[in-house]
Each structure stands twice: as C-alpha cells, then as structure tokens.
Amino acid sequence: MPLLPGAEPFRHDGGEVGVLVCHGFTGSPQSVRPWADYLAERGLTVSLPLLPGHGTRWQDMAVTGWQDWYAEVDRELWTLRERCSRVFVCGLSMGGALSLRLAARHGDAVSGAVLVNPANKVHGLAARALPVVRHLVRTTKGIASDIAKPGMEETGYDRVPLHAAHSFRRFLRMLDSELPQVTQPLLLMHSPHDHVVPPADSARILARVSSRDVTERLLDRSYHVATLDHDAPTVFEETYAFIGRLSAGTGEESAGAPRTASRG
C-alpha cells in the first residue's frame, strides 16, 4: 500500500547523542518531521519511525494494536542505543505515551523524555462503550489537523478505526499504572486549547511520574499538533536545550535533590 505524502520514516546519523521521535495516533511522521529535522540539523542522531498501520489507510490500522506500535519504538530505541552514548525519547500525543512507557520500562537506557500534549486517557462517554461498539461500528470521525496556524495540515486518517481505539484505551490504562516507574528528567509541553487531548492528561502524568527533574511549558498559541503550529519553534528550541543540558552533564540531579517544576 503506498504511503501518504510525508509519511515516510526518517533516520539521520549524527553524533553520540540519539533521539527517538514518535508520532501520534492515526497520524504519521509528517506531524513531527520538522521536530526531527531541527534536531538532526544540530548534529544529533535521530530516528523517526512510521508506526504499524499508520501512514497508508485506516483499514491497515484497524488490524493493528498497541503491542505493534510499542514494539516498533522499542526496536528503534535499542537500535539507537547500539551506536549512541545517550538516547532521549520525544513524542506527540500517543507518541508521548509510547515515550513514557519506554522510560518506565528501560530505566537508564533512556536519558530523558520530551512530551508534547501527551495522551493519558481516551475521553468521552463513548470510550467506555468501545469494547462493544467496535464490533458494531468500524470507525468514527478523525482527529487529525487540530492546528491553530492557518494553512497547516496534518497527514493523518480522516477516520479512527474503533478496534485500534479500543487497543489504545487499553494501553493508556496500563501505562497509567506504570507512570510511577518513570524517573528520568522530563520536559512536558502542552496546549491549554488542545481539542484532542485535554490539559488534564498532562496534569495526571505530572502527578504520577517519579521524575525529580521536571519542566513544564505551556504552548498558549497552539492546538493539539503543536509541532506544526505557532509554538513549533518553542518546542524545537526547548527540546534541544533540554537535551543539551543533560548531555553535557550539567544539571544532572543527585538522587537526593528536590523535585522542581517550572512553567512558562
């Protein structure tokens, strides 16, 4: 099946610091490609995989589930670890959730995580009905292109396959129980005017993780796909500064240092 424009995976061989960038549910690498390009242009080794079932047609996604999506980013993490001294994970929406699980499960193999509008829950009254409804209705309306900036569009599906949505819901419920295992430095950026993932998800994540080096940034001018929106430069610059601080060995917190948070 041909890929949608911009849905191609991306890899760049750079220096000793690696970055895994993860796209979101029903989206594609196109939504986070400028983020990956920015980091690659500054000499980092970058991997941006295409998640199984994404980037083609929604029917392909309907036969995949969270185990497939997570296995893909898990493989990419270990590929980066083979050639890089440090690896950071970055993700938008579901990509942020996948990044959190990598951090929870792999400890020191992940040096830090950068999350943009990360998902923690499938919302709405229909979410509870997914176990039954998915057998009766194949899809619902899509969630792509929640972007404030005029003229910008996200390459993603115009329909959400409900079998995949049910699997995603199960994944998020499991991940929520694993969040206390996340101890790495964390940069979380979220949009107050997100129409896909509410700010409550970011608040829940920040309350549940055990990370002590925590930075929170508000993306006031953007909607959900902030990596293609007005605040994209802020996302890119903050990510690079976060990685640079930790890679240089400055700012690494001792085990007994207090947890801090900053907002901007």
Side-chain angles (χ1 to χ4, degrees):
M1 178 59 59
L3 293 179
L4 297 173
E8 303 83 4
F10 170 74
R11 290 178 178 81
H12 172 78
D13 290 331
E16 287 291 311
V17 177
V19 185
L20 172 59
V21 182
C22 308
H23 69 77
F25 182 71
T26 74
S28 76
Q30 178 264 353
S31 62
V32 290
R33 179 61 184 270
W35 197 8
D37 284 340
Y38 182 95
L39 300 173
E41 289 165 2
R42 281 150 185 81
L44 302 178
T45 293
V46 180
S47 175
L48 167 52
L50 171 64
L51 300 180
H54 291 72
T56 53
R57 57 178 191 159
W58 67 259
Q59 290 89 342
D60 295 326
M61 188 178 179
V63 294
T64 67
W66 74 261
Q67 296 92 338
D68 304 298
W69 314 325
Y70 179 75
E72 183 67 22
V73 297
D74 191 73
R75 281 192 295 268
E76 290 296 323
L77 172 67
W78 290 107
T79 298
L80 285 170
R81 283 291 300 172
E82 288 176 357
R83 72 172 310 278
C84 298
S85 59
R86 287 177 177 270
V87 176
F88 294 83
V89 293
C90 303
L92 167 69
S93 193
M94 181 178 77
L98 293 169
S99 298
L100 283 166
R101 188 160 203 252
L102 289 172
R105 290 181 65 85
H106 295 308
D108 292 343
V110 174
S111 294
V114 182
L115 316 174
V116 175
N117 292 321
N120 177 257
K121 184 178 180 182
V122 173
H123 294 270
L125 294 176
R128 293 186 179 181
L130 275 174
V132 174
V133 172
R134 66 193 174 102
H135 296 293
L136 306 173
V137 180
R138 297 184 73 187
T139 68
T140 187
K141 65 179 181 178
I143 56 174
S145 290
D146 185 38
I147 302 171
K149 188 174 182 179
M152 294 299 294
E153 291 188 8
E154 179 187 14
T155 298
Y157 296 146
D158 60 1
R159 305 297 297 175
V160 175
L162 293 189
H163 276 296
H166 174 63
S167 182
F168 183 33
R169 180 173 182 259
R170 289 175 54 212
F171 171 71
L172 291 178
R173 290 166 66 115
M174 176 186 66
L175 174 64
D176 189 70
S177 68
E178 296 177 343
L179 288 178
Q181 300 172 39
V182 176
T183 60
Q184 296 89 339
L186 188 67
L187 168 60
L188 191 154
M189 296 175 273
H190 64 98
S191 307
H193 308 295
D194 190 327
H195 302 101
V196 177
V197 174
D201 282 30
S202 289
R204 171 74 177 181
I205 289 167
L206 290 174
R208 295 278 291 160
V209 298
S210 300
S211 305
R212 308 197 61 154
D213 181 344
V214 177
T215 304
E216 180 184 10
R217 291 280 184 264
L218 298 183
L219 305 173
D220 293 301
R221 301 182 299 146
S222 299
Y223 295 163
H224 182 62
V225 192
T227 47
L228 296 178
D229 216 326
H230 293 294
D231 291 301
T234 297
V235 171
F236 306 159
E237 292 162 9
E238 290 278 348
T239 301
Y240 184 62
F242 174 80
I243 292 172
R245 170 172 69 86
L246 296 169
S247 298
T250 59
E252 292 280 358
E253 295 197 341
S254 64
R259 171 171 168 156
T260 62
S262 59
R263 298 170 65 95

